[in-house]
């Protein structure tokens, strides 16, 4: 399966600042790259995804950028709000169409 | 908006007992998955299922585990003889022709 790493493992930002989380993966055949948000005790929820034929995608305050050559993709959250506090997981899809989750980044937005 | 559902939400069992975790995927979805998440850790892939058979399974999914789609709506994960280390949150997910996987709320399994 994929070898997926996320950095940083924890991130604290002031409300209104930006947050960036990076994910590296190993399977060069991966072609689908989602980010999931998980609040304590709840299910992972898809917040944004990108396919390999696109370099960047934006949805309001959230964006994802992909560098297929370097095998990494990043989550960008602008104008952070306290409700953005959660654990974020990248989960690139491997050659067999299964998601492999990263180790997670705990984001804390300080009001 | 349709959602994946799972039952029970919590299950406590004795080591060595069999458990069955149930999932109802989104109705027009074709691909089904089980993942587990040990407390405080990442979500781990267990198995994928398509066209009434297992597509892929991870090394976690050993002979103690099995999956079944007994009817047109349910998708189950059975653990034959539970071990302490099986304690985790188990998530079911489903997807249609697009890649997006939608997760259920999970079943928290505690093995004593």
């Amino acid at each position: 399966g994929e070898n997926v790493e996320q950095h940083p493992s924890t991130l604290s930002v002031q409300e209104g600042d930006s947050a960036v989380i990076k994910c590296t993966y190993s399977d060069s055949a991966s072609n689908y790259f989602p980010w999931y948000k998980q609040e304590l005790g709840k299910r992972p929820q898809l917040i944004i995804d990108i396919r390999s034929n696109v370099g960047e995608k934006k949805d309001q305050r959230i964006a994802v950028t992909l560098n297929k050559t370097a095998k990494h993709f990043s989550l960008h959250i602008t104008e952070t709000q306290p409700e953005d506090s959660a654990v974020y997981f990248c989960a690139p899809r491997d050659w067999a169409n299964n998601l492999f989750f990263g180790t997670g980044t705990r984001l804390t937005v300080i009001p | 908006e349709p959602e994946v559902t799972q039952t029970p939400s919590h299950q406590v069992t004795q080591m060595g007992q069999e458990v069955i975790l149930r999932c109802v995927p989104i109705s027009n979805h074709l691909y089904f998955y089980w993942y587990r998440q040990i407390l405080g850790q990442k979500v781990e892939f267990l198995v994928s299922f398509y066209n009434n058979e297992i597509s892929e399974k991870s090394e976690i999914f050993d002979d103690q585990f099995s999956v079944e789609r007994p009817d047109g709506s349910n998708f189950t994960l059975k653990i034959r003889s539970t071990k302490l280390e099986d304690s985790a949150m188990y998530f079911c997910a489903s997807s249609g022709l697009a890649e997006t996987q939608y997760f259920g709320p999970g079943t928290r399994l505690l093995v004593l």
Side-chain angles (χ1 to χ4, degrees), chain A residues 4 31-32 36 38 41-46 49 51 89 93 95-104, chain B residues 3-4 33 35 37 41-45 47-48 56-57 89 91 98-106 108:
Chain A
V4 182
N31 60 5
Y32 173 67
Y36 283 84
Q38 188 178 34
K42 302 224 176 139
R43 75 186 83 190
Q45 290 206 299
L46 179 74
D49 57 11
R51 286 162 180 82
F89 291 97
R93 188 181 65 171
W95 63 271
N97 293 331
N98 303 308
L99 299 181
F100 281 83
F101 281 71
T103 46
Chain B
E3 283 193 334
V4 177
Y33 311 84
Y35 295 84
Q37 186 176 33
Q41 297 186 23
K42 68 178 180 180
V43 178
E44 297 175 289
F45 168 73
V47 65
S48 58
E56 293 292 327
K57 57 184 181 179
M89 181 77 101
F91 290 105
E99 301 94 338
T100 305
Q101 292 187 23
Y102 295 92
F103 282 72
R108 185 171 297 283

Side-chain angles (χ1 to χ4, degrees), chain B residues 26-90:
Chain B
I26 294 172
S27 64
N28 60 348
H29 281 183
L30 303 172
Y31 301 86
F32 314 115
Y33 311 84
W34 283 101
Y35 295 84
R36 81 169 185 194
Q37 186 176 33
I38 295 170
L39 188 63
Q41 297 186 23
K42 68 178 180 180
V43 178
E44 297 175 289
F45 168 73
L46 293 179
V47 65
S48 58
F49 191 87
Y50 170 72
N51 201 25
N52 283 320
E53 59 183 27
I54 291 174
S55 304
E56 293 292 327
K57 57 184 181 179
S58 72
E59 56 193 29
I60 302 169
F61 193 89
D62 62 22
D63 292 344
Q64 294 298 315
F65 291 87
S66 62
V67 290
E68 197 177 31
R69 188 152 162 83
D71 53 44
S73 58
N74 289 283
F75 179 51
T76 62
L77 174 69
K78 183 193 291 186
I79 309 175
R80 236 177 300 280
S81 177
T82 49
K83 304 190 274 283
L84 296 177
E85 54 265 37
D86 293 328
S87 296
M89 181 77 101
Y90 288 81

Side-chain angles (χ1 to χ4, degrees), chain A residues 8-19:
Chain A
S9 56
T10 61
L11 179 60
S12 291
V13 299
Q14 291 289 332
E15 182 177 357
D17 287 352
S18 295

